[in-house]
Each structure stands twice: as C-alpha cells, then as structure tokens.
Amino acid sequence: MANQNKEEPRVLAIILGGGKGTRLYPLTKERSKPAVPFGGKYRIVDIPISNCINSGYRKIYLLTQFNSASLHLHIINSYNFDRFSRGFVEILAAEQTLEHSGWYEGTADAVRKNISHFRVQNPTHYIILSGDQLYRMDLKKFMDEHLASGADITIAAKAVDRKDASGFGIMKVDDSNKITAFMEKPAKELNIDDWKIPEKSRNKELPPQLEYLASMGIYIFNAETMEEMLNNDKNDFGKEIIPEAIKTKKVNSFIFNGYWEDIGTISSFYKATLDLTNPIPQFNFYDEDKPIYTHMRNLPPSKINNATLQQSLASEGCVISNSRIEHSVIGVRSIINENCDLNGVIMMGADFYENAEQKKENEKKGVPNIGIGKGCKINKAIIDKNAHIGDNCCINVNGRTYEDGDHGLFFSSDGIIVIKKFAVIPAGTVI
C-alpha cells in the first residue's frame, strides 16, 4: 500500500540540440543537428522525443540556437498533445535577457540560462538527453533505478573496450555502481586497468572484452541537485559539472546494454542509416509498442514502376521508375527516373512536389527537375533534400578519390560524396 500512495516524480525532459554541427556539415549548413533527416522519413530529434513519450514523459524542452527554423517547423507539425495530457514539446532557443545576453556556451550553460522556464513546471527530476544519438531506451526504468539507488545524479553508461575508451569520458564505479572518479578521454597508452567494471556491477550479458564504462551524455538529476550544481559559471556537464559533482554528491551509473550510436559525423550518420536496410538492423523502427513518432505528412503510397529494390527502404510519396536500387534509403517524395543504378545511397527526398509551372521554369533555366534524372549511376553518396540531378550523371562510381572538404558542387567526407540541399548537378556531370 505504501508504494501505491507514493507520489510519482514530476519529470522534465531536456533535449540538448548541440552546437553548430560542424562535423555533420553540409547536412547542417541550413539546419540544426536535431533537424537532420534520418531513416527516410524521420528527423534525428524524433529519436529522443519518442523515447520520452514511450516512457511516459511528455513534458519536453528542446534547447537549440543554430539554424533552428526547420526544427521549429518540424516540432510544430509533429508534436501536438491533447489538452488533458498536459504534455508539450517546446523549443527554447538562445535569448537575450536582463541576466545574460550571449549564446549558450556549453551544455550546462544552456540549461542554466533556461532554468527559470523549467521552474514553472515544478519538477522533482530532470532527464537530460542528447539530440544527436541513435538508441532506444526505457527512460522509466532509468528513473526507477535512480530513485531506488537514492542517488543525486545518475549517468547512463555504455560498456566499451579499451580501444574505444579513449574516445569517451570514462567512469570508475564501485560494487554498488556508485561513480568514484571520472576521466575525460584517457590516452591510448595510459594504463587504466583499475578503472575496469567490478564483477558485481557487470551484467551477465556483457561481452568480456567490454571492460570500461563510458558516459553516454544522458543524465538524471534531482531538481535541487541540478540547481545547486549550476550555481556557478561552469559551462559543460561532461567536462566540468559531473567531475565536480562526484566529489560531493552521490553519483551512480546506469549501465545500458542496448544499441547506441553517436551519429554526429558524416561517416557515423551514413553507416547508421544504411544499417537500417539490413534484414535485422541494430536499430528497430518496427516496434509497434514503442514507435518512433514524426511528422504525419498524408502522402500517397510510393509508386514503383518496373524497378528493382534490394535491401533498401523507400519512404512514402516516391516515384521510382525502371531503376535498380540496392542497400539504399530513399526519403519522402523522391523522384528517380528511368535506368538509374543506386548503391549505398541515402536520398533524403524533397519537401514538395514540383508542379507543371515549376518544371517549365526549370526547363527555361536549363535546370533539371528535383530528383534524379534518367541514366544516373550513384554509389556511396548522401543526396540532401530538394537536389536537382540531371540525366546521365555519375557520382562516386569511377574510383576517383577526393580530399575531405567542400568541392563546390559537392562535399567529400571519408569517401562519401554529399550532394548539398537544393544543389543543381547538370546533366552528364561526373564526380
């Protein structure tokens, strides 16, 4: 009976939209990281928002400051709760006030500058999530473990091997999962054997080579602890707030065994997206009990005219004619004309269908229509939204390599060719 009468925590979820997103450029040239299209029909931000909704947490703030227009539009079109749930997804962009006039200087600074907005909701706990990670987590289970442990702060952690440990903040824990020390990106040659996960804290499912705990940048704070730890000028949770908190607060770890991927670079984004085409992908969009929510566009079904699609995803509203598509993800409203061959391509699609008048205007200017023209061959490429690719173009099929960086018509990163948003690629172009 005591448990039934116990008051449920009042949880406020805060999703950090990230900085300029330079590692995801040019996908972030005109949009923030959370607004980058993902998986054909979604945006990256749909992942953490859906994790919150599926866990029963419907009071969600999204903090951002760079190129936030498309993100605002997506949130407005996608997340409308009924008045009885009292839920909301609200964007808080950097703003000038009498107390501060600058941009967010880091993750902790972004939360500090909005604390007055959060107090209105009278939360007992905050869940802080990243806006550019791919994972499916039961945040209710995370919260339950936090409450049961009596911790002031709990940090979600992923077990990693020694090689990967150098790329993360690594935590030392005792037998009860209490964090006793934190080290930011230990050098590869440094001996950190005494930082291995204690046997009592290891999950039986963990492979033996995964011996260290890496912070996922996902936190639960008791509300009073959050206010206390932000009562200073420290800007970053991972580098400053958490190491300081470990000295004076009870900080626990929550070991997460599921799939988790940081998709903050072109290479990791490309790899994670194409993994969705595998027969059993590491991230599952086909979970009826815990769906990933997004904008309901009311588009027609995709039309496949005598085309071959192998190990590929095609979103709604596409028209694909007499072409061969393999190991690719095709986004909403994609138009792919006859005799094209695509392999390892992420095509983000279009925001609208061109009408007859627009196509006539394109013809006058010598500009191809939006989509992929006839006879194109494209390998290992990301084609951003609303790109115009003319007939008989060859992209990344001739074995030529390019230095990483901007090449005018396209951008190159780790051998991946990125065709920019609204780019115009003339007929016959070879890249």
Side-chain angles (χ1 to χ4, degrees):
M1 284 299 288
N3 287 337
Q4 290 178 353
N5 295 328
K6 191 175 181 180
E7 186 180 351
E8 282 292 313
R10 297 183 299 278
V11 178
L12 202 60
I14 301 170
I15 299 171
L16 303 173
K20 293 181 180 179
T22 52
R23 296 184 305 154
L24 260 181
Y25 185 89
L27 302 182
T28 51
K29 182 183 178 184
E30 297 179 16
R31 58 169 84 88
S32 61
K33 273 196 293 184
V36 171
F38 179 77
K41 59 179 287 185
Y42 304 93
R43 306 277 184 137
I44 293 175
V45 75
D46 293 327
I47 305 300
I49 292 176
S50 297
N51 280 330
C52 291
I53 294 172
N54 291 330
S55 302
Y57 301 137
R58 299 191 170 207
K59 293 185 176 183
I60 305 164
Y61 283 108
L62 180 56
L63 309 189
T64 186
Q65 64 185 347
F66 293 102
N67 289 334
S68 54
S70 64
L71 183 61
H72 276 264
L73 192 60
H74 175 71
I75 296 299
I76 290 167
N77 287 330
S78 305
Y79 299 100
N80 297 298
F81 298 101
D82 65 74
R83 69 183 66 182
F84 303 107
S85 74
R86 297 184 181 178
F88 60 81
V89 181
E90 186 173 328
I91 292 178
L92 294 175
E95 61 183 357
Q96 290 190 338
T97 69
L98 294 175
E99 286 79 30
H100 50 81
S101 59
W103 292 104
Y104 300 148
E105 300 298 330
T107 53
D109 185 59
V111 173
R112 180 189 298 112
K113 284 177 176 171
N114 286 289
I115 203 81
S116 60
H117 299 301
F118 305 149
R119 287 189 190 121
V120 174
Q121 302 300 328
N122 193 28
T124 58
H125 296 83
Y126 293 97
I127 289 183
I128 298 180
L129 307 168
S130 171
D132 59 356
Q133 296 173 349
L134 181 60
Y135 64 101
R136 190 189 294 276
M137 183 186 288
D138 183 349
L139 299 177
K140 179 70 166 57
K141 181 182 177 184
F142 185 19
M143 177 61 71
D144 288 345
E145 284 208 16
H146 171 77
L147 295 173
S149 71
D152 301 302
I153 304 168
T154 302
I155 303 174
K158 185 77 177 154
V160 297
D161 59 22
R162 178 63 188 91
K163 180 185 173 185
D164 289 341
S166 295
F168 294 96
I170 299 299
M171 300 175 292
K172 182 190 274 190
V173 298
D174 63 16
D175 289 343
S176 64
N177 277 331
K178 181 183 177 185
I179 300 169
T180 58
F182 183 90
M183 185 190 308
E184 183 70 23
K185 297 182 179 178
K188 291 182 179 179
E189 63 277 7
L190 185 67
N191 186 331
I192 56 170
D193 287 349
D194 58 340
W195 287 64
K196 290 181 180 179
I197 307 169
E199 279 304 315
K200 286 186 178 179
S201 297
R202 287 185 66 86
N203 187 298
K204 292 178 182 177
E205 299 173 5
L206 281 182
Q209 70 272 21
L210 304 182
E211 299 179 302
Y212 303 93
L213 281 184
S215 170
M216 296 169 64
I218 297 172
Y219 315 107
I220 291 178
F221 279 78
N222 293 345
E224 64 273 15
T225 303
M226 169 82 86
E227 298 236 4
E228 182 183 340
M229 297 311 301
L230 291 180
N231 188 21
N232 50 51
D233 58 359
K234 293 180 171 64
N235 292 326
D236 192 85
F237 278 114
K239 293 176 183 175
E240 298 174 290
I241 298 294
I242 296 302
E244 194 65 30
I246 290 169
K247 298 175 186 176
T248 58
K249 302 294 180 183
K250 185 178 182 184
V251 184
N252 269 34
S253 67
F254 170 78
I255 301 177
F256 176 67
N257 293 324
Y259 170 71
W260 174 75
E261 188 67 48
D262 181 337
I263 47 177
T265 67
I266 292 293
S267 179
S268 62
F269 175 85
Y270 179 81
K271 182 180 176 183
T273 303
L274 289 194
D275 181 76
L276 299 174
T277 69
N278 291 331
I280 303 178
Q282 295 185 80
F283 186 86
N284 178 25
F285 274 110
Y286 299 88
D287 187 334
E288 207 162 317
D289 294 326
K290 295 181 178 179
I292 302 300
Y293 301 96
T294 193
H295 179 198
M296 301 281 286
R297 296 177 177 85
N298 298 317
L299 288 171
S302 284
K303 185 183 292 186
I304 313 296
N305 299 315
N306 195 31
T308 300
L309 274 73
Q310 183 175 336
Q311 199 174 323
S312 296
L313 302 180
S315 306
E316 62 262 46
C318 300
V319 179
I320 304 172
S321 302
N322 195 26
S323 292
R324 181 177 177 276
I325 298 169
E326 185 175 347
H327 194 41
S328 297
V329 175
I330 309 302
V332 294
R333 301 188 190 88
S334 290
I335 309 296
I336 301 173
N337 286 287
E338 293 87 351
N339 300 317
C340 290
D341 193 324
L342 276 61
N343 192 333
V345 174
I346 299 170
M347 184 174 182
M348 292 184 174
D351 291 314
F352 55 90
Y353 292 115
E354 290 180 308
N355 57 34
E357 190 177 322
Q358 288 169 315
K359 290 179 180 179
K360 193 173 181 182
E361 195 64 30
N362 287 343
E363 192 176 352
K364 282 183 186 176
K365 297 176 181 176
V367 172
N369 294 329
I370 286 179
I372 298 176
K374 298 176 182 178
C376 291
K377 297 186 185 304
I378 306 174
N379 287 344
K380 200 174 182 182
I382 300 173
I383 301 169
D384 206 342
K385 279 195 169 184
N386 309 322
H388 303 246
I389 298 178
D391 296 344
N392 302 311
C393 289
C394 290
I395 299 174
N396 218 12
V397 295
N398 58 7
R400 182 176 173 183
T401 58
Y402 296 89
E403 286 185 10
D404 285 1
D406 203 326
H407 296 266
L409 284 178
F410 64 96
F411 189 92
S412 178
S413 177
D414 288 333
I416 302 160
I417 299 297
V418 183
I419 304 299
K420 300 172 189 175
K421 190 176 182 182
F422 281 107
V424 175
I425 310 296
T429 299
V430 176
I431 296 174

